[in-house]
Structure formats: C-alpha cells, structure tokens
Amino acid sequence: MKLLVANRGEIAVRVIRTAREMGIPTVAVYSTADVDSLAVDLADEAVCIGPPPANESYLVIRNVIGAAQITGCTAVHPGYGFLSENPEFARACAENGITFVGPSPDVMSRMGDKVDAKIAAQEAGLPVLPGSDGPVSSVDEARAAADAAGYPVLLKAAAGGGGRGMRRVESADDLATAFDVAQREALAAFSDGSLYVEKLLEGARHVEVQILADGLGGVLVCGDRECSIQRRHQKLVEEAPAPNLPDATRTAMHEACLRAAKTWNYTSAGTMEFLVDATGNFYFLELNARLQVEHPVTELVTGLDLVAEQLRVAQGEVLSLTGIAPVNGAAIECRINAEDPSRDFMPSAGPLNVFRLALGPGVRVDTYCREGGVVPPYYDSLVAKLCVWAPDRPHTVRRMARALGETEIQGVATTIGLLRDIAAERDFGAGTYTTSYLPEHVAVLPSLSRSAAQV
Amino acid sequence: MSTAVRYIDTTLRDLAAHPWGGSVDTEEIAEIAAGLAASGAAVIEVLDAFSARGALEGRAESPWDRLRATVRAAGSVPVGIVVAARTLFGSRPQDSGIARALVLGACESGARRVRIVDALNQVDALRPLAEAAVEGGAELVPTLMLGPVPSADDARWMEEARAIAALPGASAICLVDRAGHLRPAELAALVPQVIDATGLPVEISVVGPGALAPVAALSAIAAGASAVQAAVGAAALGGARPTVETLRAALAGGDQELVCDRARVQELGATLWSLVPADRLRQTQVAQAGPVLGLPLDLAAGLHSRLARLGLSSRLIDAADEAVRVAADCGNVTLAYPLGAAVVAQAVQHVIDDERWTDIEPVLVAAVNGEFGPLRGPIADAARAAAERAGQTTAAGADTVDEAPAGLAGEDRLLWAMFPEASQRLFDRRRSLVDDAAGDTAAPAVDRALIETLVDVVENAAQAEVSVEVGGARVTVRRAGSAPVGARPTGEAAPAAAPDDSLVRVESPIVGTFYAAPSPEAPAFVAVGDRVSVGQTLCIIEAMKIFNEIVAESDGVIRSIDVQNSEAVEFGTLLFTLEP
C-alpha cells in the first residue's frame, strides 16, 4: 500500500503518523496556502493540488486522484470533511483502481441523505425521532408532521450538516417563515432544498457510538462518546465514555449499533449519533461514514488505533477483535479553535506568535500547528485537539484543567479560555450536562462574555 | 494456371479506427492509399463506423474529406465504404432518408463500392442502403454477419444469405466472422453452400485470435471464396486480420493466387510500422496472444485495457464469458457493430458491480425492444426487466436531424446527425481555420522545418541569435536564458534563469501527467519558437483517464518548454514560458 492523504491540518498529520508507524509510504496533498504545513513535512512526498480555496484544491476530485496517479498511490485516506463523505469521490477512486479508505460509495450515498439514513435506521431496528417520514414538499406537509410530533420541532435540510439548513420552530405560527428560510439556506448551501421535520428534544444529550467493520461480517463497537457541549451545533468538548449513561441504555445502544452495522454491511470506521433523553430513551440521528474529529478519546479508552484499523480493513484484513470492545478509564478532548468565544465564536486567522502545548502524563495533542506558523483563513478553525486520559473521570477532568493551564497560544483568539472555564465548572465536573449546556451556563463561563483582550 | 483471388484492402480502416485513429491524418491516409493502389488491391475500403469516428474524434477531420483524398490518391482503383444499417457510422438510429443521403453523398464523393452490413442480417434494414448504392452507381456488396449462434450448420444462415443476396444489384456477398466464431473447417463448408444458395461470388473477411484468421481465410479461399479482405503488415490488427503478405505467401504456387505486387506490399508494410500507434499494437497483441475469448479482437483488446485500468485484469476471462452470456441474454445478438461494444460494456459493468442487469446500455435497450429486428433467441427476464426500467430509447433520426444547427447542410448535416458532439469540433476547427485565414492573409507562411533548423543552429552554435529572411518574412531565433541540458558543455554552470517579467508563465492548473503530443507518435503540439494564439492547445495533462487540453491564454511565442513528455506535474508547475 502507498497512501495518499486527501486532507490537510491535524487530521492529515494524524493519518500520516499511523501510516509511518505501519511502514506505509505516504503522499500529502496541499494547497498553496499549506505549502509549509506539518503534513507536507512529515509525508514522504507531497503534491500541490491547487490554490487556497478548498473548492479549487482539496475538493477537486480530479486533482486529488491525479496526485494519487502520478505518485503511484494505491489507497486514499480522506480524513474528515472535504471529500470524506463524497460518494462520487469514492467511486472515482474505485474507477481509477485506488482503494478508498472508508465505507462503500453506496452506503455513503444512502447515509449522506438524512431522510434515507433515517429510513435505513428504521429498517435496521434503530429507534428514530418522531417527525416526517421523508422530505416534506410544502409548509402544509411540514405543519402536519410538526403537529403530530409536537412542538418544538427542527426543520432540517436532508442534505445538510454542520448546523446549516436547520431551523428551530417553537410553534405552528413560526413554521411558514422558518420553512422558507431553511429551504433557501439549504438550497444555497447544498443545492438541494429538501427539508424534513424532526421533533426537537430539549435537554437531550448527544451520545455517539464508534464502530469499526471489516465488511466481511466482523463488527467492533468501540464504546461511546458524549458530545453534548456544542456551540451552534459544532462540538467543542467530547469525552469517552459518555458519563452517567445508565448501563441498560448503553448496552441497548451498543447492541443496536452492532446489529445495524451488520445489516448495512458497513465497512471501515463509522459513528452512529444518537440523542438520549432524560429517561434513557435513545434516538438515532445520523451515521457519520468517516473517521471523526473526536476519535482520539475512543482511542485513549480502548487502546485501539482507529486509523490503523481502517488501513488494515482497506487492505482486506478481518478485524481481530469483534463484538463490544472493553473500555478503560475516561478521556476528554478539548477542541482548541482559532475563534473568539466572546464574539459569537468568530474565526480568527493569523500568525501563531506563541504556541506552547501541554505535556506530561495522560496528555495527547493532535495538531498541525507550530510556533511561528499561521492559521490560514481558508479552512476550518481547528488548531489543536488537546486530549487527556486518566483512570477515572474526576481525575481526567483535573488533568484537563492542568493541561489547559499549560497551553498557551498568542496571535489568534482561541477557545482555550472557555475550555478552562468549562473544566472548572461544576455541572461539567459532575458529568450532568446536555446540548443546552453553553446557553444555560453563560453566567458561569466568563469567556463567553469577556472580551478577547482580557483572555 | 491458377485462379486469381481478389484482395480487398482494409489497411486504411484498420489504421485509422477509433480509438487509435488520432495518430493518422488525412494526408497520410492519402499517401498510403496511393501505395495500396500500386500494390494491386482490387478495392480499397476506407470508411466504416470506426474509421469515420476515428477521423472525427481523433483529429476533428471530416470523413468525407478522407474519402475524397483516398479516391484521388487511389486513381483507377475503386474505393469503398462500409455502412451499417440503422446507425450508419454512428451509434444513434437514423431514418432511411439519412441513410440514403449518406450513401448517395459518398458515391458523389467518389466511392465506387458500398458494402452494407446489419448486425442481425435483417434484409429490410439493409434495403434503403442497397437502393441508394445502386442509385449512386456503386458496386453493392451485402454482408452476411456470422456469429456463434446459431451453429454453423443451421439452415438459418442460408435463409439470411439468400434474402440479402436477393437485394437488387448485389454483385457479391461478403461473409464476415469478426471473432473467429467459426472453425476454419466450418467456414470452408459454409462458402460453397452460400455460393450455391445465392449464385453470387463470396468475399471472405475474418478476424480472429491466436492466428486463426489467416487459416480460416485460406480455408475459405480453398473452398471457393473469390475475394478476401486483408491489410498490409502492421495495420492488420496486430496479425488478427490476415495480412496481404501472409496470404500471398501462403497461396503462392497453388491453385489460387492473391493478386498483388509483392515488392510494393513489402515496401508499404515497412512504412506502416511507424504509423501504427504503439498502444494499439500492444493491446491487440495482448488480445492476440491471450486466451481465445470468443469476442471480436478489437473488443477483446478494449476489454483488456479497460479491465487493466480498473485493476481487474485477473477478471478478463470472467468478463469475456460474461459478454457471451450478455449476448445470449439479449436474444443471442451478434457481437457486431454497434451491438458488440454495448455487450462488452454491459459485461464489464456486471463484473465491476458483481451483479447482473442492475443497469443496461442504451443500445441494448433498443435491441431488447426489437428495434434491431427479430432476435435469434429468447431474451432473459433480467435483461428485459432492466430494459423496462430504462424506459424508452430515443426515437430515431428525422426529428433529431431537424434540430441540426442552422447553416449545416449536406454532409455536415449528416455528420451532425450521427456524431452531434464530435462533429461540433470539426465545425469549430474549420471555422477557426477560416478566421485565421481571414485575419492572417498578409502574414507569409513560414516553414516549420526551417524554424526547427534555425533552433538547432542556435542551440549548437556560439551565437545566441540567428535571423533569416524567407519570402518577405524575417525569422529570428534567439536562445532562451538556459540551453537544454544536453546542449550544455559539461563543467559549465547553467546560467541562472533570471526571472524575466516580459515572459508569460504557463503553469499547470491541474495535477496529472504532461503530454506534449496528442499521441506518442504524433508531433508535439508546440515547439520552442512556435507562435501560438489564444485558445491554441499547448499540451495535454491527463488525470483520471481524462485528457485535459491546456490552451494558450495569450498570443505569443513559445520560449521554453519546462517539463518533459509524460512527466508528472502538480498545480502550479511551470509548463511553458511565452513571450507575448
């Protein structure tokens, strides 16, 4: 195998590291904005695939495949984002004799459409949220579905993701306007205006289950993660395992995921996202048919290297361990983003004048940044993932606070201050938080209101 | 005293066929045609579906121009065309009006023989072509297309032969076996039966794997075939079609003799080697030396290369077997144009998907729906279901040609009807030639060879610049900042290429493999010193099997070519510098 890493930033570095450990030669691709990046330095070869805008470089299938062809790569790891869940890309890989490290294009197509995914989930016996049985074509249809599910509801773009094309609707009166706006947003963002209606669970928790599958019947459930601390539907803090999850709920979720992955004949790594309500009922949200940003917390508690497993599966190997993986200790990931929490998380690109990472026991940092480098303005704002592990959750939270205290970044605004606030906050310490955590804790998270200069 | 066997030449068809045809241009075709005429060919076949498409797609040249050039070069030797019923040269069904116009147009352009062929030997489909050929004053030769089904001794072959031989004006009947379906002995048995049944002389055309073709052709000749299709040397599909040389040598001194000029044929054979694209030789040799697949050799070669690109070479036999099954599923269609390619494409899809009939090739939908006439066997349920899912195929001809762009008349209109996309390139090219001529009437033509000579002089001489005046034009060749590596005296440091603001950098906009020429044998698109204009192709960069033409974005003179042929380039790699 010779591996092309079709991504940038920390995930490109992450994938290249494992490939190097496995003795697999690597090729990085980069835009002209990333010519000095760590991934380019670490890979055995690197190919420039375009100018800075992602839609002219990292998203150009022809250039990525071209880079694989001219360097003789036999496989492509797509990372997350960019082309990772693009079935056309996976098909183009197959047509050009290149192994796509991920699930089959068919599964990807199906799971990429939220409505189809919901139907597939129901077929596989996973509980889903009440709402419309597919896309709604008019306000009236949306109203009927919303009335049946009960307000508040979410209007969601079928092709959506990342919080775009999504509208909260409090009552029947707001529906018409929200429908209009969400449809336009969905059309603009995804060229597909299909919407569907889903009941909005308030105070629910976002819990996801990591799976690995070899496509030959072997499925491994690699524990769960709690990702409830989100701003604008973007995760900020994730941990494994999900704290305070009743044993019965956890076992039922894991077993349902095991069955579903087998039903779908899933291959490679994937994540099934669920909402869990206060009484322990869980509802399937979506399947992320790729490696996720927060995968390191799973690696810390299971001892697995998910990228290595993906590469092995891609080479046609069977999983050595199947069923439910044992989990040890607790891990937390803090996303250090170049954005300003006090100004509604506005992105902040620029030079990294000071960039000091935490070290010491139980600390893992995944980053592409170096002191003196820059955070380019063209891509997402993730600068580093600070992950900590300890034998139990209270210890992990103390370690998180300690590591965040050692971390220092100057030159761009970051989420470090907010993450420190969270680490010190009581409800987080107790592990009793929901997706409403940030708005509900504005008062005790000073970084959300303090100006950037004071951080 | 031996009987003369007529040699019907296929060299031009084989040489210029799609998808290899791009390396041969009309001028070369005409030159070879002159050689063939001198070699003793009784007829020179120049156009068929593959060579017409090769001319259009490979070089944006008009097949009609090619026909006329061949007619001029062939002198007194008749030039022929091969036309398929329904689809003519293209892949879309056409109505009988277009068929008639095409045949009459070809006759007007000088075609003196029209061979007509239908994949399923349907006499009604052939009739409009036959009538037009007679009306145009051409010799008419209908074709009996032989396939694996029914078996060689089935009476249906004789029924079909009788029916098509009865077309008014038929002067001979051509027996075609495109894949060596019939064993030499079977073919030998068939020839006298066809002669008896039709009363017409038999012409034989065999293509087959493993050098079976010459054996089968010789058996047919021994059994009474009075004409044989053959090509010269390397053009003969890598040996899959009998070569003129082989047949002549094999027959020499026997009861029959191939009429040809041995010395001229050998001379021509030697020059043809350089014209046959290496790709084509390699692919046909693979198919030729490989297992007997039961597929026409060009399809087998295409299949092999397609599977190889997908990394599925090991599935070659599976795919070939599957192609035979697909043909059987579709009522035992013959693997002849245009059904053959569709059957193979369908089979490859089955092999890739590991599932059968989830989708269906449009041509097969038409076949299954009976648009190609009654089939020889039942249609498999799965194939029928796939065709039903696919829905109706586009209806034929008349209304499509009515949509032809305004200003297209005569043969251009026919080309557009058959090849709506490829013909557009021809029209564009012609228009730009006209524009160029209108804009550049004052500029005297400068011989490219002269410029190349001057470049050589400058590269190897002490002086950095040479100027000459030719026919009122002054040509100056100036050495660029750094000389090519090969020309630099060892030990001397390369002069640092100072960035020159007056030069335009042409950088690669994509990632892939750089090609300086449209095919390995063709001349490069541009050379140092060439003047290029906006929109002119400078090179090709290949990625994902797509050949992306990189065009000049400004007028200028090529000052340097900064990459080697078939070198990998990334985004931003400097390809050329241009002096505006």
Side-chain angles (χ1 to χ4, degrees), chain A residues 408-427:
Chain A
E408 190 182 359
I409 296 176
Q410 282 177 22
V412 295
T414 69
T415 49
I416 294 173
L418 175 62
L419 293 165
R420 286 179 189 152
D421 290 348
I422 294 170
E425 193 279 320
R426 208 183 37 174
D427 287 343

Side-chain angles (χ1 to χ4, degrees), chain A residues 244 393 422 424-433 437 440-441 444:
Chain A
N244 299 320
R393 191 171 184 277
I422 294 170
E425 193 279 320
R426 208 183 37 174
D427 287 343
F428 179 77
T432 55
Y433 56 90
Y437 177 82
E440 282 171 3
H441 292 78
V444 288

Side-chain angles (χ1 to χ4, degrees), chain A residues 168-395:
Chain A
R168 181 193 170 102
V169 185
E170 295 295 340
S171 69
D173 301 338
D174 304 337
L175 192 74
T177 320
F179 186 86
D180 234 33
V181 174
Q183 193 169 47
R184 261 187 285 128
E185 206 170 294
L187 263 174
F190 317 109
S191 313
D192 177 358
S194 323
L195 298 177
Y196 66 101
V197 177
E198 205 168 76
K199 182 167 176 59
L200 177 65
L201 272 191
E202 303 234 59
R205 303 166 56 183
H206 181 116
V207 177
E208 58 189 27
V209 177
Q210 175 73 52
I211 54 164
L212 270 174
D214 56 22
L216 302 162
V219 175
L220 181 65
V221 170
C222 315
D224 45 71
R225 295 186 288 258
E226 162 75 72
C227 310
S228 294
I229 300 190
Q230 302 182 354
R231 41 96 189 165
R232 289 186 285 152
H233 301 281
Q234 298 279 357
K235 296 163 189 169
L236 199 59
V237 177
E238 300 103 334
E239 59 181 304
N244 299 320
L245 195 66
D247 281 346
T249 304
R250 172 165 282 135
T251 306
M253 270 171 85
H254 288 186
E255 279 172 1
C257 291
L258 193 63
R259 274 195 309 274
K262 282 183 182 169
T263 307
W264 297 332
N265 195 24
Y266 195 79
T267 315
S268 198
T271 298
M272 298 187 201
E273 294 192 340
F274 295 91
L275 279 182
V276 180
D277 69 16
T279 56
N281 294 316
F282 59 95
Y283 303 96
F284 174 82
L285 281 182
E286 61 179 314
L287 176 109
N288 292 313
R290 54 168 158 81
L291 193 67
Q292 283 194 289
V293 179
E294 59 270 26
H295 75 276
V297 290
T298 297
E299 296 185 324
L300 289 173
V301 297
T302 59
L304 292 162
D305 180 333
L306 293 178
V307 173
E309 297 299 330
Q310 280 188 301
L311 295 177
R312 283 193 196 105
V313 167
Q315 284 171 312
E317 293 180 30
V318 295
L319 293 171
S320 50
L321 182 65
T322 57
I324 313 280
V327 165
N328 177 28
I332 298 177
E333 172 181 278
C334 299
R335 294 200 196 183
I336 301 177
N337 297 332
E339 50 192 31
D340 188 345
S342 70
R343 296 168 63 199
D344 202 19
F345 297 95
M346 184 181 286
S348 165
L352 294 164
N353 301 329
V354 174
F355 189 77
R356 280 173 215 152
L357 298 174
L359 298 168
V363 176
R364 162 179 172 178
V365 184
D366 283 20
T367 182
Y368 68 102
C369 293
R370 294 176 279 196
E371 192 159 282
V374 290
V375 178
Y378 310 102
Y379 313 107
D380 73 60
S381 57
L382 182 61
V383 166
K385 302 188 308 201
L386 172 63
C387 305
V388 290
W389 177 90
D392 57 60
R393 191 171 184 277
H395 191 170

Side-chain angles (χ1 to χ4, degrees), chain B residues 303-487:
Chain B
L303 175 64
H304 186 272
S305 85
R306 179 131 193 247
L307 289 172
R309 285 198 307 258
L310 295 170
L312 293 172
S313 294
S314 59
R315 309 289 306 275
L316 179 66
I317 308 266
D318 295 346
D321 289 351
E322 179 59 18
V324 173
R325 277 193 293 273
V326 167
D329 284 355
C330 297
N332 279 320
V333 293
T334 319
L335 294 177
Y337 178 82
L339 297 172
V343 165
V344 171
Q346 182 76 37
V348 170
Q349 206 51 53
H350 289 183
V351 168
I352 293 172
D353 294 350
D354 225 8
E355 227 176 319
R356 308 186 80 232
W357 296 115
T358 50
D359 209 345
I360 184 168
E361 292 287 318
V363 172
L364 295 183
V365 177
V368 167
N369 289 344
E371 288 171 37
F372 282 86
L375 300 166
R376 294 204 177 88
I379 297 162
D381 293 341
R384 188 183 294 287
E388 276 164 14
R389 281 195 304 276
Q392 280 298 306
T393 44
T394 43
D399 41 9
T400 47
V401 80
D402 286 343
E403 293 163 16
L408 283 190
E411 50 191 45
D412 283 354
R413 224 166 118 82
L414 293 175
L415 279 186
W416 186 87
M418 291 185 287
F419 306 97
E421 279 151 32
S423 63
Q424 200 55 49
R425 280 188 56 210
L426 166 68
F427 305 149
D428 291 348
R429 180 167 162 268
R430 221 188 265 150
R431 206 171 300 128
S432 79
L433 286 176
V434 170
D435 293 349
D436 284 357
D440 284 349
T441 43
V446 174
D447 188 1
R448 179 176 174 143
L450 170 68
I451 295 180
E452 281 167 9
T453 310
L454 292 178
V455 170
D456 283 350
V457 168
V458 171
E459 276 182 358
N460 296 306
Q463 70 252 60
E465 188 178 314
V466 169
S467 294
V468 291
E469 257 186 54
V470 189
R474 186 174 186 81
V475 180
T476 303
V477 174
R478 189 181 298 122
R479 186 157 54 204
S482 59
V485 175

